């Protein structure tokens, strides 16, 4: 601390990193602060006065909580289906040698290497040409489609680092294929599957571009926020945003704590 | 394409006769793949085919569209909207560079210097994934508001003079200028840069740093010759994960920009959903895809070689 310039140079990375973190957190802080605002106009962009009204009545805005529950339903279903299909693909890719493996790998990679709007538009082209009514089902189909690749990537990474000898050992101890899978393979792959599921839940819940193209008149939560940016943003949106941030931090922290405890418990 | 995949008959000689797998066993990977791959074929590949056919149709919404193999739509769409294409690439490129510049120190901090704070910092990077990004993008409207504290500070330190000179801002406002759009893009895609950077930095053996130090390398040299080259996989995947979605984004340009900052995503969105000119929209979407895929391929080729650094 003798020479402030030396100190600055030595801690440059820390300062720059914390600066970036501040940049990332700033909007969340603003969202939280403005959830206690009592705005005068239709928009909640300028601070007026402190109020708890929005927190007392989070569902006081027409259609908002309906869109929220719709988004949760879609996220839940697409996570379930995408995780099941994606996990199966990941196991096939890592554990088996078969023809067309390269083709399957590229097919999985492509949705992640394409601007979202291209997929969104092409799905709309399909639904329009086939005369399919846009709504809940088209959103769900689209979400499962783009979540799949992310699940495969997450599970694949985990299964690749698994020692196949553990399964051989289980079989040597006369465990059947089903028993081996349920008692050995699945528990080891679980963190990867959980990561994939969590990621696809977040991606689906938050997706806007693909939903915007394929939702018709159905309003998910991101669609509601988008519409409110034009018509007027109720304070309740900030309440939901704040609650989601807090819940997310709590869920992820708990997950990591449980993971750490497991790690510590292992080498007994 | 959709018939149940018959497994290729493996030549019997390659496998020892004792382990001759039964047909049922050899079918297992195909059964595992079938549902997921079918989903992608029907809802990812087939839509591309439909969009391709839409792009060569002519007609109108009232009379209906027919496939007339009218490739002129591509040329017309490109010549009419090339400013938006250029702008998208420029904004996405700038945002990607800023993400790398801002994201690297944070990823480095988490990987090497955070100690017991590591988990908390990681959570703070991941948490935005779970909070609606639209709400957070709207918050930038408040942060960058005309006459607000942020704009005031930027104005006082002369930052806005520089960006005005660069054509990124106009006068003493930030909202509804290119700077606001780039700021929003950078913000939205930062986690996609930081996470891959972190995971490749975390894998680096810190003894390499010590070794470099023992060989009298200064910290800057250690970074340039050891750390950065070893983090290249993270740099490449982070850049791709940032640039690709940013090039097709229209949310930031719509919420934070003005009509002068429209990106190609805004054009495709309004052609598809408002103007309902499906052939032009489909052609634009394919041109965007082609540009991005070509750029990504060239980038991966170049970044893949050792002599980049």
């Amino acid at each position: 601390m003798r020479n402030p310039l030396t100190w600055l140079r030595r801690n440059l990375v820390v300062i720059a990193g914390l600066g970036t973190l501040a940049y990332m957190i700033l909007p969340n802080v603003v969202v939280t602060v403005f959830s206690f605002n009592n705005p005068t106009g239709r928009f909640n962009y300028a601070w007026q006065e402190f109020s708890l009204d929005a927190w007392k009545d989070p569902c006081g805005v027409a259609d908002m909580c309906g869109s929220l529950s719709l988004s949760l339903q879609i996220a839940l279903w697409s996570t379930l289906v995408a995780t099941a299909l994606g996990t199966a693909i990941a196991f096939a890719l890592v554990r088996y040698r078969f023809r067309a493996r390269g083709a399957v790998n590229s097919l999985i990679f492509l949705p992640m290497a394409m601007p979202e709007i291209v997929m969104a538009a092409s799905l709309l082209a399909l639904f329009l040409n086939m005369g399919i009514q846009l709504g809940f089902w088209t959103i769900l189909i689209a979400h499962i489609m783009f979540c799949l690749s992310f699940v495969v990537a997450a599970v694949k990474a985990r299964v690749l680092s698994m020692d196949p000898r553990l399964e051989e050992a289980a079989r040597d101890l006369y465990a059947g294929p089903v028993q081996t899978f349920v008692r050995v393979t699945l528990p080891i792959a679980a963190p990867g599957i959980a990561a994939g599921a969590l990621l696809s839940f977040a991606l689906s819940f938050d997706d806007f571009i693909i939903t915007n193209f394929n939702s018709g008149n159905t309003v998910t939560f991101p669609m509601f926020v988008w519409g409110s940016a034009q018509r007027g943003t109720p304070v309740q949106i900030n309440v939901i945003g704040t609650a989601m941030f807090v819940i997310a931090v709590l869920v992820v922290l708990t997950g990591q704590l449980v993971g750490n405890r497991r790690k510590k418990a292992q080498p007994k | 394409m959709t018939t149940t995949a018959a497994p290729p008959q493996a030549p019997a000689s390659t496998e020892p006769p004792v382990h001759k797998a039964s047909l049922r066993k050899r079918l297992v990977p195909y059964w595992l793949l079938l549902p997921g791959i079918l989903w992608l074929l029907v809802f990812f590949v087939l839509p591309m085919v439909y969009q391709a056919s839409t792009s060569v149709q002519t007609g109108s919404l009232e009379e209906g569209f027919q496939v007339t193999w009218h490739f002129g739509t591509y040329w017309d769409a490109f010549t009419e909207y090339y400013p938006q294409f250029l702008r998208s690439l420029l904004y996405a490129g700038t945002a990607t560079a800023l993400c790398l510049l801002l994201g690297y120190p944070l990823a480095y901090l988490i990987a090497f210097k955070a100690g017991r704070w590591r988990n908390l910092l990681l959570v703070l990077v991941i948490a935005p994934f779970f909070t609606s990004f639209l709400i957070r993008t709207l918050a930038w409207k408040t942060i960058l508001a005309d006459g607000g504290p942020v704009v005031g500070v930027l104005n006082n330190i002369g930052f806005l003079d520089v960006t005005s000179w660069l054509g990124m801002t106009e006068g003493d406002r930030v909202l509804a200028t290119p700077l606001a759009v780039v700021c929003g893009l950078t913000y939205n895609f930062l986690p996609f840069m930081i996470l891959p950077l972190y995971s490749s930095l975390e894998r680096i053996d810190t003894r390499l740093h010590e070794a470099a130090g023992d060989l009298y390398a200064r910290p800057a040299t250690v970074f340039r010759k050891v750390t950065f080259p070893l983090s290249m996989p993270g740099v490449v995947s982070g850049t791709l994960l940032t640039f690709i979605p940013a090039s097709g984004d229209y949310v930031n340009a719509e919420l934070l920009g003005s009509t002068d900052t429209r990106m190609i995503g805004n054009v495709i969105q309004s052609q598809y959903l408002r103007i309902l000119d499906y052939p032009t929209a489909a052609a634009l979407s394919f041109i965007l895809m082609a540009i991005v895929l070509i750029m990504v391929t060239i980038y991966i080729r170049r970044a893949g070689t050792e002599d980049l650094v």
Side-chain angles (χ1 to χ4, degrees), chain A residues 162-173 180 184-185 188:
Chain A
M162 259 168 77
D163 191 342
R165 282 174 301 181
L166 287 171
E167 285 159 307
E168 277 168 37
R171 254 174 269 130
D172 287 347
L173 295 165
T180 309
V184 179
T185 315
I188 306 179

Side-chain angles (χ1 to χ4, degrees), chain A residues 20 23 122 206 212 222 256, chain B residues 51 102 119 132-134 183 250:
Chain A
T20 304
Y23 177 66
S122 66
D206 209 19
N212 186 207
Q256 289 205 331
Chain B
Q51 194 168 24
L102 292 171
N119 281 352
S132 177
F133 86 98
L134 278 171
C183 167
Y250 56 87

Side-chain angles (χ1 to χ4, degrees), chain A residues 41-124:
Chain A
R42 288 184 300 138
F43 290 96
N44 184 19
Y45 295 147
W47 180 259
Q48 297 294 330
E49 58 172 351
F50 182 85
S51 153
L52 279 173
D53 292 352
W55 279 93
K56 282 184 204 143
D57 184 20
C59 283
V61 191
D63 303 334
M64 191 186 73
C65 282
S67 71
L68 197 62
S69 100
L70 182 71
S71 276
L72 285 172
Q73 283 171 43
I74 290 173
L76 217 58
W77 283 114
S78 52
T79 301
L80 272 174
V81 179
T83 308
L85 301 185
T87 305
I89 294 179
F91 269 98
L93 283 174
V94 178
R95 282 301 160 81
Y96 296 91
R97 295 286 166 274
F98 52 90
R99 273 195 208 176
R101 217 164 143 264
V104 170
N105 262 320
S106 346
L107 182 61
I108 303 290
F109 174 72
L110 265 177
M112 293 192 280
M114 207 165 273
E116 221 186 319
I117 193 167
V118 176
M119 282 187 281
S122 66
L123 259 173
L124 178 61

